Amino acid sequence: MMYKNLLYELKEGIAYITVNKPKSLNALNNEVLDDLYAAFTAVNNDPEVKIVILTGEGKAFVAGADISEMVGLSTLEGRDMMIKGQSVFNMIETLDKPVIAAINGFALGGGCELAMACDIRIASEKAKFGQPEVNLGIIPGFGGTQRLPRLVGKGMGKYLIMTAEMIDAQEAYRIGLVERIVPAEELMGTAEKVAKTIMAKAPIAIKAAKLAINNGISLDVKTGVAYEAEIFVAPFCAEDRVEGMTAFLEKRPAKFQNK
Ligand code: CO8
């Protein structure tokens, strides 16, 4: 698959999507958003793809929405771009397959929001995070006001959005914005290791777990637990459940067939 603003590679079931506009620190304009939509649609439909690793080329993961494009937009065009970005990020969040963000550098504004739409965030020690939108007279519009407080809590979410403070990877890890931090040279290797760990599990269980967490998180616990009960049934009915449990009892690795 070829994209103007992305690099794409499929290796051993892992799709690598790299935002590739390093001159503008991978800023998201309408064209990049279209490419991301096309790429994530394609990986979702490709049975060879089991998991996705999303990263950025150069010193940024993504430094935000493209300010040079946004400055000239009318109000309606700005709204359209916001809705487009939200649709792409919602799609990533609800993709059938797990998505790991390998955050190599700046993840600011729309870049931080993009990372937050992924299932798991692994950051290089060189990564920097922030929601600097209020510096530009706007608020986060690609989901940041909703996903950030859900990850780091309401107070810290407000602090980061209202102060526009840029934080380093260590602080992002401390507040729960990322799940792992590693030296820069180990970033892709660690992301691959995590991807392979997840790929070794029953795919139907991974898909169900993602669904239960994504859709349950905004419910009260009682309703969420009832929802979990509904989702629980599908993997329990699957052949892979019998294989997983039999393999445990026979003290051998499970051979999951996605059945
Ligand atoms: N948009 C456009 N161009 C950018 C962006 C960006 N977000 N970030 C960096 N660039 C460009 C710079 O303008 C520069 O271009 P040039 O070489 O032509 O001058 C090039 O990338 C390199 O950047 P710097 O020279 O600034 O590199 P530094 O290492 O000195 O600084 C920073 C790196 C700190 C990341 C700095 O570039 C910066 O502060 N960038 C802006 C970060 C920002 O404010 N991001 C938030 C944008 S708003 C947003 O994301 C809203 C999302 C919702 C939008 C809804 C749709 C309407």
Side-chain angles (χ1 to χ4, degrees):
M1 280 177 275
M2 297 283 283
Y3 302 97
K4 195 167 164 206
N5 305 288
L6 307 175
L7 303 173
Y8 180 80
E9 196 186 358
L10 173 59
K11 217 169 49 187
E12 295 172 38
I14 305 176
Y16 297 81
I17 299 177
T18 305
V19 185
N20 185 32
K21 273 183 64 125
K23 276 193 190 150
S24 63
L25 304 189
N26 302 325
L28 301 172
N29 59 21
N30 269 290
E31 217 182 68
V32 183
L33 290 171
D34 289 338
D35 278 357
L36 283 170
Y37 186 81
F40 275 95
T41 303
V43 294
N44 215 28
N45 293 333
D46 184 346
E48 297 297 312
V49 175
K50 309 296 180 207
I51 197 162
V52 183
I53 296 178
L54 176 65
T55 192
E57 182 65 24
K59 69 175 181 178
F61 175 70
V62 163
D66 191 327
I67 300 166
S68 63
E69 185 175 79
M70 275 192 300
V71 70
L73 297 183
S74 68
T75 309
L76 283 180
E77 288 166 339
R79 188 174 181 282
D80 285 348
M81 184 176 177
M82 175 198 66
I83 297 290
K84 183 189 286 189
Q86 288 188 352
S87 315
V88 176
F89 292 15
N90 287 346
M91 178 175 67
I92 293 171
E93 187 171 51
T94 57
L95 207 79
D96 289 339
K97 300 157 189 189
V99 183
I100 298 173
I103 305 156
N104 50 303
F106 293 110
L108 301 174
C112 190
E113 292 171 302
L114 179 59
M116 290 190 290
C118 298
D119 295 306
I120 292 169
R121 284 148 293 282
I122 301 172
S124 150
E125 284 170 351
K126 291 184 178 165
K128 297 249 189 307
F129 298 82
Q131 295 289 162
E133 286 87 347
V134 294
N135 289 335
L136 304 169
I138 58 172
I139 65 167
F142 290 156
T145 62
Q146 302 308 304
R147 292 195 179 97
L148 185 61
R150 281 172 169 78
L151 275 175
V152 303
K154 190 170 160 189
M156 186 56 83
K158 284 181 181 170
Y159 176 84
L160 288 172
I161 288 172
M162 289 180 180
T163 64
E165 188 174 306
M166 204 189 311
I167 58 171
D168 62 17
Q170 195 66 48
E171 176 66 356
Y173 178 67
R174 191 188 71 78
I175 65 175
L177 181 52
V178 301
E179 284 67 57
R180 297 274 303 269
I181 34 173
V182 293
E185 62 278 11
E186 292 173 22
L187 178 65
M188 290 313 285
T190 305
E192 274 167 19
K193 217 170 148 188
V194 173
K196 285 179 180 164
T197 300
I198 295 171
M199 283 162 71
K201 316 300 179 199
I204 192 168
I206 296 296
K207 197 173 159 185
K210 176 167 172 169
L211 199 65
I213 294 167
N214 273 350
N215 293 339
I217 194 107
S218 53
L219 303 174
D220 66 273
V221 172
K222 199 173 165 205
T223 315
V225 167
Y227 180 65
E228 183 186 74
E230 295 302 316
I231 301 297
F232 184 86
V233 174
F236 207 81
C237 289
E239 285 177 31
D240 274 351
R241 189 263 301 191
V242 180
E243 165 60 14
M245 294 185 180
T246 308
F248 174 80
L249 295 173
E250 292 176 356
K251 303 190 189 307
R252 61 169 174 83
K255 287 192 201 116
F256 293 118
Q257 313 257 357
N258 198 15
K259 283 185 185 161

